[in-house]
Amino acid sequence: MKDKLTLVYTTDLHGFLVADRYLTDQKSSHGLIQAASLIKRIRREEKEVIFFDNGDTLSGSLISLRCGEDMRYSNPMVNALNELECAFSVVGNHEFDFGRKYLDKAVDQSQFPWLAANLVKNRGGNPAFGPAWHIQTTENGKQVAFIGLSTPETADLAHEDAIKGLTFQNPIETLAPILKELKKLEVDLIVVSYHGSYDSKIPFWSQETPEDLDIESKICQKYPEIDVFITGHTHGLLSNREINGVHTIQAACYGHYLGRIDISWGDEGLKIESENIPVKGQRLEKNLLESSRRVLESTVEWLDEPIGEALDDFSFSSSREALMYPSRLMSLVHMVMQNASDCDISAAAFWKLDGWKTGTITRRTILNLVPDNYLHVLLMDGKTLRKALEQSLSFFECDDSGNVDPGSKIYTYDIWSGVYYKADLSRKVGRRITELTYMGSPVSDEQELKVAFYHFRTNGALGYEMLQDAKLVWKSKKTMRDYLLDFMKKHYELSVPVEFNWKLLCGEEVL
């Protein structure tokens, strides 16, 4: 007879109780309230189920922005996790986005522990959010130990005021005494829930990870006694894989998937299988939707509040136009970035291709324009700049007939400001730039320039590894959305000229 246990988890929910689109047309394709339907169904079907969350839970959606702006509301993500009897949540780097007061309030509201064994207080060195691990005993008497770890990158990603008095220790070093203690307790299963990723580069924000991709983890290499290694942070999607005999899974982001791990103890020993279940198409769980009604309605009212008047037309005739030609909308984004930071050049990706015509501008319009990211300024030489720009231009595909198509993942494509550039898309990827000048002069390989990016770009993911070699010289204290809203307060009547600083060609033909 086998003892069976099912683990289900969410990761990188980023405040998506429902999809942002629900706030406009009552339609949702992802989020915790939809994942809840799956969680409840699995609980009905299986004998014993433990549900938990792997971090980056509180910040990133329009609803979370509303709650960060008005802290009178109890946190709707925590309310939902409480109702779903969440066993624990891991502290992710984005938990600090709205400051410690916001995070501490959410933790106090939680009916479950927040785990981060390697996040310790400077005084005393004890875990900052309570116990280093959580042990749960199954109905059949099996002891399951859960260890929560937070990415050390938080020390660089979070604003310094939010993590004052805290130290992010090396997860590998943190695990050694914990695993030694758990060995003494003779637990039956060890699960490490890491709001971090792998040491090998997996596709970021990818909907599939090739089966032949070699997944590496120093944690799994060092500690093969771990049974299950759960990850997040990089928004990748993989399941049913092993690293050094340790079973591993990563369940994407924003509540698009629910991670499931089925565990059984039998005569043949321990058996572990995992899968990521798509949430799209699941119904919105009725009770959670109703209990969240007040904050949803308040968010809609807040988003629809007028904050400006557009004197110019910021709309597009098509997404192709937005991506292939200089625009007033992207010129606005660059103007805000350059006003906020001490930079020579800025690079920015579209977040949504939603422009607007002349007339009233609402808060919803502005918040949909850019991600809730901090700004980083990198000091880089001309050679690195050229590599990064070439990576941006790889977004376009050109066939043998000279037809050019933009890619679909718009967050991989940066449009640059402050430099003038031409690119021939009929050329091979990596050799498309035909002209690159700064202040009227060609950019040399040795020339040093300060370039502002959204901070998600500077970690080197999505093919931008060259940025890891550049020196970080400035980090913003506010997010890009904060700077944009501040800009609107000073420019209620909004008029922005188009910066015609780049041109795409196919051969000699201007596109």
Side-chain angles (χ1 to χ4, degrees), residues 197-208:
S197 189
Y198 305 97
D199 298 304
S200 49
K201 299 291 184 183
I202 68 167
F204 192 74
W205 282 344
S206 173
Q207 294 305 297
E208 67 179 81

Side-chain angles (χ1 to χ4, degrees), residues 9-50:
Y9 89 102
T10 49
T11 189
D12 296 88
L13 286 167
H14 286 287
F16 281 95
L17 195 65
V18 289
D20 279 347
R21 183 182 172 188
Y22 182 86
L23 302 170
T24 303
D25 57 15
Q26 306 288 287
K27 293 180 180 178
S28 182
S29 59
H30 59 93
L32 182 55
I33 291 183
Q34 274 179 282
S37 292
L38 271 175
I39 294 167
K40 292 193 172 185
R41 189 193 78 194
I42 293 170
R43 278 180 168 152
R44 290 193 299 269
E45 294 172 349
E46 301 297 336
K47 182 179 179 182
E48 189 160 9
V49 177
I50 298 174

Side-chain angles (χ1 to χ4, degrees), residues 9-299:
Y9 89 102
T10 49
T11 189
D12 296 88
L13 286 167
H14 286 287
F16 281 95
L17 195 65
V18 289
D20 279 347
R21 183 182 172 188
Y22 182 86
L23 302 170
T24 303
D25 57 15
Q26 306 288 287
K27 293 180 180 178
S28 182
S29 59
H30 59 93
L32 182 55
I33 291 183
Q34 274 179 282
S37 292
L38 271 175
I39 294 167
K40 292 193 172 185
R41 189 193 78 194
I42 293 170
R43 278 180 168 152
R44 290 193 299 269
E45 294 172 349
E46 301 297 336
K47 182 179 179 182
E48 189 160 9
V49 177
I50 298 174
F51 163 63
F52 58 94
D53 178 74
N54 190 51
D56 272 7
T57 309
L58 303 177
S59 167
S61 69
L62 295 177
I63 296 170
S64 68
L65 284 173
R66 172 60 176 148
C67 294
E69 186 264 351
D70 188 344
M71 289 181 57
R72 291 176 298 173
Y73 291 98
S74 60
N75 193 290
M77 295 298 288
V78 174
N79 286 342
L81 291 174
N82 285 341
E83 190 165 332
L84 289 168
E85 298 179 356
C86 181
F88 65 88
S89 184
V90 177
V91 180
N93 53 289
H94 281 289
E95 260 63 85
F96 297 92
D97 282 358
F98 298 128
R100 280 298 297 278
K101 186 177 179 181
Y102 180 82
L103 173 54
D104 289 344
K105 181 183 176 184
V107 170
D108 290 343
Q109 181 190 331
S110 303
Q111 296 170 9
F112 51 86
W114 288 76
L115 304 183
N118 63 317
L119 202 176
V120 302
K121 298 176 182 178
N122 290 349
R123 291 187 178 182
N126 295 318
F129 290 88
W133 68 81
H134 169 76
I135 293 182
Q136 197 151 331
T137 304
T138 70
E139 293 179 6
N140 291 327
K142 299 290 186 184
Q143 285 197 310
V144 182
F146 297 94
I147 307 167
L149 296 171
S150 188
T151 174
E153 292 178 5
T154 307
D156 295 320
L157 296 173
H159 188 264
E160 58 187 15
D161 290 343
I163 57 173
K164 189 175 181 180
L166 303 176
T167 295
F168 291 82
Q169 297 178 334
N170 185 312
I172 296 176
E173 295 173 3
T174 298
L175 277 172
I178 295 174
L179 292 172
K180 186 176 180 180
E181 183 68 23
L182 292 176
K183 185 176 181 180
K184 292 178 183 178
L185 295 175
E186 297 182 345
V187 297
D188 298 285
L189 190 78
I190 297 175
V191 179
V192 171
S193 190
Y194 180 35
H195 189 82
S197 189
Y198 305 97
D199 298 304
S200 49
K201 299 291 184 183
I202 68 167
F204 192 74
W205 282 344
S206 173
Q207 294 305 297
E208 67 179 81
T209 299
E211 284 295 322
D212 59 354
L213 183 66
D214 188 22
I215 307 297
E216 299 173 0
S217 166
K218 292 177 183 176
I219 290 175
C220 296
Q221 292 295 337
K222 178 77 172 179
Y223 303 112
E225 62 265 42
I226 296 170
D227 296 299
V228 183
F229 185 56
I230 287 162
T231 65
H233 184 51
T234 51
H235 299 189
L237 185 70
L238 64 89
S239 61
N240 226 35
R241 302 287 292 274
E242 285 193 357
I243 306 172
N244 194 31
V246 179
H247 194 98
T248 191
I249 178 175
Q250 185 171 136
C253 58
Y254 304 154
H256 283 292
Y257 290 85
L258 181 70
R260 172 173 177 160
I261 307 104
D262 289 294
I263 299 155
S264 60
W265 292 267
D267 295 337
E268 298 177 358
L270 182 66
K271 182 179 179 181
I272 305 173
E273 295 179 322
S274 65
E275 64 176 321
N276 288 310
I277 308 173
V279 164
K280 187 175 181 179
Q282 296 294 320
R283 66 178 179 84
L284 291 161
E285 208 285 319
K286 186 176 180 181
N287 291 339
L288 282 181
L289 186 62
E290 190 56 39
S291 63
S292 304
R293 183 69 59 189
R294 182 167 172 252
V295 72
L296 290 172
E297 291 175 350
S298 174
T299 302

